[in-house]
Amino acid sequence: MIEEKKIDEKRQGEILSIRSKSKTLATKKMYLESYGCAMNFSDSEIVASILQDEGYSTTKEIENADIVLINTCSIREKAEQTVRRRLKNFLKIKRKKPELTIGILGCMAERLKTKFLEQEKIVDLVVGPDAYRELPKLIKELEDGRKAVNVILSTEETYADVIPVRLGNNKVTAFISIMRGCDNMCSFCVVPFTRGRERSRDPLSIVNEIQNVYENGYKEVTLLGQNVDSYLWNNGLSKKEINKLPLQNQKNNINFAKLLELSAKKCPNIRIRFSTSHPQDMGDDVLYTMAKYKNICKYIHLPVQSGSSRILKLMNRGYSRDWYIDRIDAIKRIIPNCGISMDIITGFCSETDFDHNQTLSLMNYVKYDFGYMFKYSERPNTLAQRKYKDDVDEKIKSKRLTEIITLQQKHSLHNNKKHVGSIKEVLVEGYSKKSKDFLYGRTTQNTVAVFPKEDIKIGDLVNIKINDCTSATLLGNKY
Ligand code: 5AD
Ligand code: SF4
C-alpha cells in the first residue's frame, strides 16, 4: 500500500516537473524578499514555484521586477518595523514605476489583513501563509483594477505537491517543510494566530522531496516545523482524529522519530537536520533515532525561553525547569557530543531578578553551544497581551539581555575550545565573508568552521583539523 502510494507520488512529481519545464516562456519577473524564520524562506520557494507556473521568473534586481513580494514576520515588534521601513524604500521605486505590483505575504499579512491596504497605501496584494495557491487568481483580480486580499487559514494546506524553486544562495543546503502551523499557544507568541492550526505533511512527499534535492546535487536538508516533535501522520487524518482511532490502527502512525528514520534510510547520502524541537514533546525515540543514523546531524535546537518554572507556566510552555533539565540530560546521555542551542526571552511579564537568575543558572547547567536571545516584545491579541502586564522596565530588559548574551558567549567559547586539536567533518557551504581565500562550512553539531580554500570545493565534505577558535567560529586547515 505504502509502495503503491510512493510510486503515485513520484509520478506526480515527475508530471509536475515536466509541466514546469514545458510551460510558456517566462515573460514577467518577480522579486521576492523574505524576513523572519526559515519557514518563511521555505514558503517563498513555494511562492516562486506557484508563480513560475504562471510565467514569472525570479530576479535579484528589484528595478527589473513586475511584482515585488515581501514575505513578512510578526514575531516581534522590531521585525514588523523592519518591513515597514522596507516598504518606504519600495515607495520610491513605485513612484518611478507605477505599474509595479507590491504584495505582502506571510505573518504580517495574516495579522493585519485589510488594515494593511489602509495603512500602507502602496500595497496592492495581501496574502496569508495558507493562501499562496490563490496568488495567480489574486494577481488577475489586480489586473482588473481591484486590490486583492486572501488571508484565509486552512486546516489542511501543506503544499505537499508543490516543488519549490530553490532560492538559497548555495546549492548545498535546502529547507523542507514537514508541517505547518502550531497548536501550542505559548502566551507570548503570535504564530498560532498567523500560521493557524498544526498539520503534518504526507511523509512520502517529504521523502520524495529529500530525494529530489539530493538528485539535484544538494548535500543537506533541514526539515522544518514550528514543533517537529509534534509531527504525526496517519492517512491524512487530523491529530484529533488520529487520537480517536483504535490502538491497532494507531500502529500505522508516523511520528517524527519514524519520519526521521524513513528519511535517513531512504536518503543515506544526504545530511539531515531539523528545527525546531519542543521540550514538551521531544521524546527519547527521536534521540535514539538520531544516535542510530550517521547522516542525521547531531544537533538540537531546543528553545527554553526561561529557566524559571513560574515564568514557564505564565508562558504556557507546557513544561517546568526540571522537565527541561531532564530532556537535556537525555540528549547528553543518548547522544554524547550533541550540539545544543536555545531561544531565551528575557523580561517576560512579572519576571523578577530571582527568575532571571534561574535562567542564568540553567544556562550554566546546560552550557549551550549557541543561542538566540530576545527581549520580550508584547504582541497584539496573544494571551500574555490580554492577561498580563508587560511590566519589566525596558532598561532592566536590556541589562538582563546583556547578561544572558555575555554568559552565552562565554559558554560558546568554552565549548569551541574543547574542539581545538580535534578533526571535524565539515560540509562546505560557501566562501568566508572576510576573504575569498577561505571557505566556511558546518560540523554535524552545526558549529561554523572557517579554513583556507586550498583545493576544496563548495559542497565537499572535508576533514578539518581545528587549530583555533573564537566564540562563534572554529578555525582550521584541511586534514
Ligand atoms: N517576544 C520576544 N521573543 C519572542 N519569540 C516569540 N515570540 C516572542 C515575543 N513576543 C521568540 C521565542 C521563539 C523565537 C522564534 O522567537 O524565543 O522561540
Ligand atoms: Fe510560538 Fe510556542 Fe508555537 Fe513556537 S511552540 S511557534 S513559540 S506558539
Side-chain angles (χ1 to χ4, degrees), residues 37 74-77 187-191 226 276 301 303-305 317 342-346 348 372-379 382:
C37 62
S74 287
I75 201 102
R76 281 168 292 275
E77 168 94 40
S187 64
F188 52 79
C189 187
V190 78
V191 168
Q226 305 297 345
T276 299
H301 180 59
V304 62
Q305 315 299 3
R317 286 290 289 176
M342 52 66 175
D343 291 342
I344 286 176
I345 298 177
T346 189
F348 187 67
Y372 303 91
M373 298 149 280
F374 314 101
K375 279 193 264 185
Y376 172 58
S377 159
E378 187 176 80
R379 306 311 292 133
T382 55

Side-chain angles (χ1 to χ4, degrees), residues 133-146:
R133 283 185 206 270
E134 295 289 303
L135 267 165
K137 197 179 113 209
L138 294 166
I139 291 171
K140 288 218 173 72
E141 280 179 23
L142 276 181
E143 284 160 9
D144 296 340
R146 279 173 290 159

Side-chain angles (χ1 to χ4, degrees), residues 7-17 161 163:
I7 291 163
D8 268 6
E9 290 272 342
K10 199 153 179 264
R11 288 250 300 281
Q12 203 180 2
E14 279 161 7
I15 291 162
L16 272 171
S17 65
D161 58 324
I163 301 172

Side-chain angles (χ1 to χ4, degrees), residues 215-226:
E215 282 158 14
N216 281 299
Y218 286 81
K219 303 289 162 59
E220 184 182 286
V221 292
T222 303
L223 307 180
L224 295 178
Q226 305 297 345

Side-chain angles (χ1 to χ4, degrees), residues 311 328 475:
I311 294 290
I328 292 290
L475 306 162

